[in-house]
Amino acid sequence: MTALNDTTTSTARSVASTRTFPASVGLMRRSLVNITRLPSAFLPSVLMPIFQAIAFSGTFFAITQIPGFPTDRSINWFLPLGVVMGAGFAGIGIGFSTIRDLEGGFYDRLRLTPTPRMSLVTGPLLAALARAALVTTIVFIVGTLFGARLTHGPLGLIPLYAAALGIAAIGTGWGLGLAFIFRDMRAAAIMQLTFFLVIFLTEAQTPLFIMQGWLENVARFNPFNSVIRLSRLGYVDPPISWDNTWSGLLTIAVFTLLMLLFARRGLTRLSDV
Amino acid sequence: MTVTATTMTPRTRPELRQSTVAQTVALSKRSILSLWRQPSLVVPSLIFPLFFAALGTSSFSRATTAVPGFPAVDSYLDFALAGSVVQGILFGSTVGATALAVDIENGFFDRLLSSPSTRSGIIVGRMAGGMVYGCFQTVFFIVVLLPFGLSIKGGVAGVLTMAAGGTILALAVGALMSAMAIKTGSSEAVQGAFPLLFIAMFFSSAFFPKETMSGLYKTLAYINPISYLVEGFRDLTIDGFSASAVVRAVVIPAILAMVAVVLALWALTSRLGAR
């Protein structure tokens, strides 16, 4: 009997592990289909970064005249910020749609299916990465039309996409975790506010050497500052080197792991309720 | 069975006027109380402008001396106050219009219309809440930022003018958004229109002097009335009290308010006519 149980368990595990990826892809496709079926939920994550990049570069055009500023094009400075914001919102947008599913009862039905639990995290993660890649590409094209130029050639796109996908992954973990804990729209406000604060308390607007006072101290120790720097590597004058790349990649790796664990833990707790 | 017939005495004009005023005051109280009782709706309109002012002061203080064309200011905070006030009022006034749209959605507006209350009182009452809040926001931002080094060259007269300008601006924005609320009857549509105001503010001199911009942005900032309105508030802060600053801080919002109120009343008339 025990042997039979073991066999059944191992078979079930095997089936579950083989199904995790297809189930994740299925959930990702559902999320991507929602882009066309519910464009009002996705469009802000594209329009907002475009607006931000254009409006900031126009309004704060003159800051590039400050001696030592790392680029002479303001759009080069603000386009990566727009990309990071858009990618982050693509990630936490997954949290919003999860809240809708939780409130509407769809998530309960999803949990009743033999879908592997892990796919309920990896599926939305894949969707967020696909959405973030789409947002990054659109913002890059529009930004280029508005005068943004890659200082070190196409190679500069690698850090931009790495930062965007990394922030999307972190945002997904954070959004899902909060959605599983609160299970209603209260989580949405926390997701947006925390993300907004974390990104703006960095070199988002000006480099560290231009800042004065409290923000300089906060930005210097904010780990997400390295991600913002990573995103800008291809658009600023200093050359792309490992020295100014590794800290951003490390931050992305560590926070992605932590946030996905946070989401997985939230999902387990949700099952306990 | 005896039937007692009571004679209906027509109300006199002063009585009617009193009734209109009383109804408007009652509806104004309701809109003010609704803001007071739902702090979660209004707190963001107090916190975010302050956050941006703090962020900008730390980010752009060096720009005030390093960027050619930047007006002479003691600190970026002095420069940022006007933008913060306008930003806060744009946020806050949308809340009142959204509440009006919610009234329409849940049927309370129809009950008001079917009651013997005056039509203008319904609209003015809702906007009055926004005006009081706009005045409060202006004073609140000044009081909170004073300990952080804000100096207002216009003195008490400057502060009072800004409070008046803030109140009228709240009326203008509130009326504009109310027109949209009445026209569409949808709170989502009102909130969806808010980014347009935000965009209009960004393409103005709310955050940086328009003289330092270039190309299309500069053109947009020059033709955007928000630029002149903000500069009126700003001149009262960084230059001192002057007739030119008063005109820009009060007259521009007043013109905008007149246009917006006419739009709101027109939207109400067309809504009633459509029934």
Side-chain angles (χ1 to χ4, degrees):
Chain A
M1 191 66 186
T2 314
L4 182 66
N5 278 346
D6 285 349
T7 313
T8 311
T9 311
S10 77
T11 309
R13 273 188 192 155
S14 164
V15 169
S17 64
T18 53
R19 281 180 183 170
T20 300
F21 185 69
S24 303
V25 172
L27 286 167
M28 177 190 79
R29 284 180 62 186
R30 174 177 176 263
S31 176
L32 294 181
V33 165
N34 272 343
I35 292 176
T36 52
R37 291 191 183 158
L38 196 60
S40 60
F42 177 70
L43 274 180
S45 66
V46 176
L47 296 180
M48 189 267 298
I50 290 174
F51 164 71
Q52 190 176 25
I54 294 170
F56 274 41
S57 59
T59 301
F60 303 121
F61 162 80
I63 59 168
T64 56
Q65 294 169 13
I66 297 174
F69 202 88
T71 174
D72 57 356
R73 288 171 184 258
S74 58
I75 187 88
N76 272 19
W77 184 253
F78 288 110
L79 180 139
L81 174 66
V83 164
V84 167
M85 290 294 283
F89 273 100
I92 61 172
I94 295 292
F96 299 166
S97 54
T98 305
I99 294 171
R100 272 200 300 274
D101 287 345
L102 283 163
E103 287 183 330
F106 177 78
Y107 217 80
D108 288 335
R109 279 182 278 159
L110 203 60
R111 287 193 298 136
L112 283 173
T113 64
T115 316
R117 285 289 174 268
M118 198 55 204
S119 67
L120 297 181
V121 174
T122 50
L125 174 65
L126 289 178
L129 295 179
R131 283 174 173 225
L134 186 63
V135 168
T136 305
T137 306
I138 294 172
V139 179
F140 164 71
I141 292 169
V142 176
T144 305
L145 292 175
F146 273 84
R149 293 291 175 268
L150 287 162
T151 320
H152 310 290
L155 183 69
L157 283 176
I158 296 172
L160 181 71
Y161 273 87
L165 298 180
I167 282 288
I170 294 167
T172 306
W174 182 234
L176 285 176
L178 288 174
F180 294 145
I181 289 172
F182 287 94
R183 298 191 292 278
D184 59 32
M185 276 298 169
R186 281 176 303 166
I190 300 174
M191 286 173 208
Q192 293 185 75
L193 193 65
T194 46
F195 177 71
F196 194 77
L197 283 177
V198 155
I199 296 301
F200 268 93
L201 296 179
T202 62
E203 290 177 306
Q205 299 193 103
T206 52
L208 275 179
F209 79 92
I210 291 177
M211 292 177 194
Q212 288 177 343
W214 66 275
L215 183 60
E216 185 190 355
N217 299 322
V218 174
R220 198 176 291 281
F221 293 103
N222 182 348
F224 285 87
N225 197 40
S226 59
V227 182
I228 296 286
R229 280 187 175 178
L230 177 71
S231 70
R232 282 182 173 141
L233 282 179
Y235 283 98
V236 292
D237 295 340
I240 300 172
S241 68
W242 180 243
D243 281 349
N244 49 25
T245 306
W246 69 267
S247 57
L249 294 175
L250 181 66
T251 303
I252 287 172
V254 170
F255 275 89
T256 301
L257 185 68
L258 288 175
M259 290 302 121
L260 292 180
L261 283 174
F262 173 60
R264 186 68 181 88
R265 201 177 151 86
L267 181 62
T268 308
R269 280 189 185 173
L270 188 71
S271 302
D272 294 341
V273 173
Chain B
M1 190 169 166
T2 313
V3 177
T4 312
T6 52
T7 315
M8 294 289 286
T9 316
R11 287 192 289 179
T12 59
R13 275 184 184 279
E15 273 178 337
L16 276 174
R17 205 175 299 129
Q18 202 174 23
S19 161
T20 305
V21 172
Q23 287 167 14
T24 308
V25 169
L27 288 166
S28 305
K29 271 186 187 170
R30 175 179 175 263
S31 70
I32 294 165
L33 274 177
S34 70
L35 290 176
W36 177 255
R37 286 178 181 162
Q38 299 177 83
S40 61
L41 292 180
V42 293
V43 164
S45 64
L46 296 175
I47 299 295
F48 272 99
L50 288 176
F51 174 70
F52 276 114
L55 204 65
T57 304
S58 203
S59 296
F60 300 121
S61 276
R62 272 191 64 182
T64 60
T65 51
V67 170
F70 210 100
V73 285
D74 294 337
S75 81
Y76 183 83
L77 187 61
D78 294 354
F79 181 86
L81 174 72
S84 302
V85 168
V86 173
Q87 190 186 6
I89 289 172
L90 291 187
F91 269 120
S93 304
T94 311
V95 173
T98 307
L100 177 63
V102 170
D103 279 352
I104 294 171
E105 283 171 344
N106 64 23
F108 182 76
F109 192 73
D110 284 336
R111 277 185 280 158
L112 273 180
L113 289 178
S114 60
S115 71
S117 55
T118 57
R119 301 291 182 258
S120 57
I122 296 170
I123 301 296
V124 175
R126 179 52 78 184
M127 290 173 196
M131 289 170 75
V132 170
Y133 185 57
C135 182
F136 168 75
Q137 278 178 302
T138 310
V139 176
F140 176 81
F141 291 137
I142 293 170
V143 169
V144 169
L145 294 177
L146 274 175
F148 293 96
L150 174 72
S151 66
I152 296 178
K153 297 279 193 319
V156 176
V159 173
L160 291 175
T161 308
M162 280 194 266
T167 308
I168 302 168
L169 179 64
L171 171 66
V173 181
L176 186 68
M177 300 307 270
S178 295
M180 173 153 282
I182 296 165
K183 192 76 188 160
T184 62
S186 158
S187 56
E188 273 189 21
V190 175
Q191 287 181 328
F194 173 72
L196 296 176
L197 289 177
F198 200 68
I199 289 170
M201 195 182 65
F202 244 98
F203 289 107
S204 75
S205 58
F207 300 107
F208 237 59
K210 59 182 187 293
E211 293 78 12
T212 64
M213 298 175 191
S214 81
L216 180 64
Y217 305 106
K218 190 170 191 168
T219 310
L220 288 173
Y222 267 93
I223 59 173
N224 189 343
I226 293 179
S227 293
Y228 300 95
L229 157 74
V230 167
E231 284 162 13
F233 279 66
R234 186 169 290 145
D235 285 355
L236 289 167
T237 312
I238 63 177
D239 287 340
F241 192 80
S242 68
S244 148
V246 173
V247 166
R248 279 178 290 162
V250 177
V251 175
I252 291 176
I255 293 168
L256 291 175
M258 277 192 284
V259 174
V261 168
V262 168
L263 271 177
L265 291 174
W266 172 77
L268 180 64
T269 309
S270 70
R271 186 179 183 86
L272 293 173
R275 287 161 186 250

